[in-house]
Structures are given as C-alpha cells and as structure tokens.
C-alpha cells in the first residue's frame, strides 16, 4: 500500500553535489586543461547548472563520496575548485529565476538500483 509520506529516495539521505570552478584559460594549454576537467565532470554524470557550476544527483552519501573522490583525483594543478554536497531537501528549497521569472527546479528521475 502506498504511503504518501514514503518516498523511495529520502530527501534527507539523497544528495546533490555542486562543483564550482574558476580555472585559468589564458593560454592554449590552460584552455585544454580546463576543457578536460569539464569533460571529465560531464563523463561522470554531472550537468551544467551555470557556466562554471556543475551538479549531479546522488541517491546516497556513499554514492556522493565516490563522485567527490573522482573530482579530487582529476583536479588541475592551478585554479580554484569548490565541491559542496547538499541534501535533496535543501536543493528543493532553492529558488531559480530566469530574469524576473520564477521557474521550478527539476526533480531527479528514479535511478535503477541493481542490488
């Protein structure tokens, strides 16, 4: 029987990882390094929130730690990178605007669990 208070992905247990970065892009080599870092984020399931902010939904803290560890393993030598984890509940309280128009945040899709 369906309980309206039950959700498969608990809003306090599931997390969003936000990656903020400001990487140097003055030389061709620096642009390539910045592009490679961004591509690795995309390959790991992150999506662009804003130009230098990428985000990824994780169903558990353990899953978030795996992705955070991958980010740390791919850090470029120069630049500033911030990684923040917030609960799905906190993410859902964010207000997003396009200009003065309020828009709804996207809900994460249910992910297939194999065990």
């Amino acid at each position: 029987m369906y309980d309206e208070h039950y959700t498969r992905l608990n809003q306090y247990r599931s997390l969003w990882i936000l990656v903020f970065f400001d990487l140097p892009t003055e030389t061709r080599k620096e642009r390539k390094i910045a592009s490679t870092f961004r591509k690795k984020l995309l390959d790991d399931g992150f999506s662009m929130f804003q130009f230098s902010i990428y985000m990824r939904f994780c169903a558990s803290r353990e899953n978030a730690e795996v992705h955070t560890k991958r980010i740390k393993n791919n850090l470029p030598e120069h630049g500033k990178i911030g990684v923040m984890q917030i609960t799905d509940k906190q993410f859902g309280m964010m207000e997003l605007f396009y200009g003065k128009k309020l828009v709804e945040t996207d809900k994460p899709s249910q992910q297939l669990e194999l065990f």
Side-chain angles (χ1 to χ4, degrees):
M1 180 153 218
Y2 181 74
D3 178 1
E4 68 183 63
H5 297 289
Y6 173 78
T7 58
R8 192 169 176 307
L9 298 174
N10 185 306
Q11 291 182 323
Y12 295 98
R13 190 177 186 300
S14 54
L15 299 169
W16 286 87
I17 301 174
L18 300 168
V19 180
F20 312 89
F21 59 92
D22 186 13
L23 302 176
T25 57
E26 292 179 12
T27 67
R28 184 177 183 141
K29 182 179 178 183
E30 289 173 339
R31 285 190 296 276
K32 180 165 177 51
I33 291 168
S35 178
T36 300
F37 179 74
R38 180 185 167 280
K39 184 170 180 348
K40 287 180 180 179
L41 287 175
L42 292 171
D43 289 345
D44 195 28
F46 284 82
S47 58
M48 187 169 71
F49 183 71
Q50 290 185 351
F51 286 118
S52 292
I53 303 173
Y54 283 69
M55 64 183 189
R56 186 185 200 292
F57 177 78
C58 295
S60 68
R61 185 166 305 282
E62 296 79 16
N63 183 248
E65 290 303 321
V66 167
H67 294 287
T68 300
K69 191 174 189 179
R70 282 188 193 143
I71 294 165
K72 291 177 181 179
N73 288 336
N74 292 318
L75 292 175
E77 189 172 337
H78 301 287
K80 292 181 181 179
I81 294 103
V83 179
M84 180 171 61
Q85 296 179 7
I86 61 172
T87 66
D88 188 42
K89 183 71 173 177
Q90 291 168 322
F91 187 83
M93 293 187 307
M94 179 175 23
E95 292 183 305
L96 295 175
F97 298 88
Y98 288 126
K100 291 188 176 191
K101 183 180 177 186
L102 178 66
V103 294
E104 296 224 9
T105 57
D106 294 335
K107 301 292 180 196
S109 59
Q110 291 283 344
Q111 294 187 355
L112 176 64
E113 292 183 31
L114 299 176
F115 34 113

